[in-house]
Amino acid sequence: VESFIPARISRNVEDIKAAYENYFTLESWKVPIRINYLLSLGFLTLMVVFLSLWVGLRVAKGITDPIQSLAQATEQVAAGNLDVKINIEREDEIGLLVNSFNDMVKKLKLSKESLESAYLYIKNILDNINSGVIMLDTSGNISVINGAACKILGINPKDVVNKNYKALISMINSEELHNLVSKIEGRVFKPVKKQINAIIGDRRTILLIFITSLKDSQKYIGLLVVFEDITEVIEAQKALTWQDIARRMAHEIKNPLTPIKLSTERMVKKWEKKDPDFEQVFNRSSKTIVREVESLRRLVDEFSRFGKMPEINKKPTHIPLLIDELVNLYKDFKSISIIVSIPQNPPPVEIDPEQFKRVLINLFDNATQAIANSGTINISISFDESSNKAYINIADDGPGIKEQDKEKLFTPYFSTRKDGTGLGLAIANRIVTEHRGHIKVKDNYPKGTVFTIEIPIKES
């Protein structure tokens, strides 16, 4: 039986058959293709994993190696090696960190060198000064002692360095030192400066000690002791003091001798000339001589008892009377013109008349020598009761005083005369100062010098 099948159906059957055969062909390649894809993807995955691991290790190494180098370098710096340098050049944050570390180490090295230089400088100073220097730490142990201290105390630094200060004190026989230490031991104290006597070895010494605490901005860090052996200085000062006392005594003895000499010369002149007023002059001059001898005796007694200037004994005194006595001593000098200017009804002044007369005699005697016993001397007195001041001016018309010498006039042992002791004006200045006054010097016009004494009128 035949039937006619359309061509379209035949073509579809052929297509289905071809598709069916193609399907079975593809079905046979399914597993190999899957395996190939799996192998390719697995390989790519492994490649990506290994590449990521490599990149990660590279990145980690780029970070950990510099950090490890920094850690090792930090340990070396902590151990005191400041010559460390990390040779890594990078532009990232790690490079910035490394550069900062290298700069820090460089600055630390410079600071250390500066500190070492400063320490050597200070050590050199301490070793070359004559004062003994000892530094104690907070535990009372001796951390620094210089050569001068060892020489003064007669010790070896090895015997006391890093040992307690009590070991050093036990080597010094001084009750004053032990008392001083016991007063400040374990206490907050102000800087102490004291002169003590001590026996070091078999030698008696006098030490000038200065003790102060050392502090930084926050806390106490130790103690500083500075001392000097002033034994020879004290002995020399004693000798100079006695020499000074002897010179002062000699000079003060000369002051009463001046009126004695002048009074005696006046009596002799009156006697030789057989002047009718000899008896009057003799009476006045004899009283002056007796008075000055009595003053001289008191002066010597004061010196012998106290070894110093006589004490000031103030009482109300009329200065014009002292001026009158002074003028009477020199009025027989025909070549000297003495001009006195005194206000009417002057008030009394609280002074020691005996000592103040010595001041006037000293200044007047200087004036007569300045004019070479030929010239004019002006004496003027003024009072300012509003300011409670009295002013005495003694002016001469001599050659004057050089400007550079004016500041030295009242300095002991300075004199413009070859035969001067340099004590007259110094003693006069001291007496006026003890009266709470001042002596000033200035030029006199047109020539000469003016000495001005300024003293209080009354005790306030």
Side-chain angles (χ1 to χ4, degrees), residues 135-144 160-165:
M135 292 181 63
L136 308 179
D137 59 21
T138 53
S139 301
N141 295 327
I142 298 173
S143 58
V144 175
V160 294
V161 172
N162 297 325
K163 294 184 180 179
N164 193 273
Y165 69 92

Side-chain angles (χ1 to χ4, degrees), residues 302-368:
E302 289 284 344
F303 270 118
S304 62
R305 266 185 290 166
F306 305 110
K308 61 180 181 180
M309 293 292 294
E311 295 294 331
I312 296 293
N313 182 22
K314 295 180 182 180
K315 59 184 180 181
T317 304
H318 287 278
I319 294 180
L321 296 178
L322 297 181
I323 299 296
D324 187 56
E325 291 182 22
L326 180 67
V327 172
N328 285 331
L329 292 174
Y330 290 88
K331 70 178 183 179
D332 285 341
F333 284 73
K334 303 300 182 183
S335 57
I336 298 178
S337 175
I338 302 175
I339 302 173
V340 180
S341 176
I342 300 175
Q344 292 183 349
N345 302 319
V349 180
E350 293 283 343
I351 58 174
D352 183 327
E354 290 296 326
Q355 294 211 37
F356 212 80
K357 186 166 68 174
R358 294 193 188 106
V359 174
L360 296 175
I361 290 174
N362 194 295
L363 295 178
F364 203 89
D365 193 49
N366 283 346
T368 60

Side-chain angles (χ1 to χ4, degrees), residues 19-29:
Y20 180 76
E21 290 176 354
N22 189 34
Y23 169 76
F24 276 104
T25 301
L26 291 175
E27 181 69 20
S28 64
W29 282 98

